[in-house]
Amino acid sequence: KRYVLNRSYLPLSSSNPILSGQIKSNSSQCLGPLRVALFADGEAQKAAMKEARESLALVEQQLREKRFLGGDDDIGLADIAAGGLLAHWLGVLEEVAGVRVLSDEEHPALRRWAAEYSSREAVKECLPDRGRLLSYFAGIREKCVSLANSMLPK
């Protein structure tokens, strides 16, 4: 099945080096700590959870004053870049790992944004089925734990 996103969802040029660099930097700052926070244990998990939540607090701050990461009008490139992971996959990974990274108390704007982003018909059509994701990640949970532990400093 092939999906076509409405061009209005991409209001910013994807060739914009500043935007591209910011998205790449933000995702790499958040992904490493998230993996460890979700699947490691002990002190390493606590430290990674703190780091991941600090990164997510920056996103929370931006979303307190606007509806979407790119503004109030509609979903933009930044929303698409962050949306799959933060709005859909993270909840699945939290459930499989048995930990909570995003809380309603600490991240109300991020939770609101995730719900609104995920409820869009164009987005729903592009996201994998949550039940299938749960089943898949539950099956490879031990691999995820091994990966997270391999990321820890020796």
Side-chain angles (χ1 to χ4, degrees):
K1 198 171 185 182
R2 189 176 137 193
Y3 298 102
V4 178
L5 276 177
N6 180 338
R7 300 277 290 145
S8 68
Y9 284 171
L10 304 171
L12 301 170
S13 170
S14 59
S15 64
N16 180 333
I18 295 171
L19 178 64
S20 298
Q22 183 179 6
I23 289 170
K24 185 176 180 182
S25 172
N26 289 347
S27 65
S28 65
Q29 278 180 332
C30 199
L31 287 180
L34 268 177
R35 284 186 192 113
V36 177
L38 288 165
F39 291 107
D41 53 17
E43 292 304 313
Q45 182 186 38
K46 287 179 188 173
M49 185 70 77
K50 182 178 186 279
E51 188 177 345
R53 286 182 174 153
E54 286 170 359
S55 294
L56 292 170
L58 298 174
V59 179
E60 172 71 20
Q61 183 74 28
Q62 289 184 0
L63 286 169
R64 283 189 185 141
E65 299 167 10
K66 52 190 170 183
R67 193 168 157 210
F68 297 104
L69 290 169
D72 286 329
D73 297 333
D74 210 344
I75 293 171
L77 184 58
D79 299 287
I80 293 168
L85 173 66
L86 296 178
H88 189 66
W89 291 71
L90 184 57
V92 169
L93 295 173
E94 286 175 325
E95 189 171 330
V96 169
V99 297
R100 195 81 169 146
V101 179
L102 281 181
S103 71
D104 292 334
E105 299 79 34
E106 289 182 61
H107 307 98
L110 194 48
R111 302 288 281 183
R112 175 209 31 90
W113 165 82
E116 186 168 0
Y117 175 84
S118 297
S119 71
R120 294 294 181 98
E121 212 44 53
V123 171
K124 281 194 235 178
E125 291 176 9
C126 297
L127 294 174
D129 178 70
R130 189 175 196 288
R132 290 179 69 187
L133 285 177
L134 273 171
S135 178
Y136 173 76
F137 281 105
I140 65 161
R141 185 182 187 290
E142 290 309 313
K143 288 181 184 178
C144 294
V145 169
S146 293
L147 174 64
N149 288 328
S150 73
M151 298 174 73
L152 299 177
K154 306 242 179 219

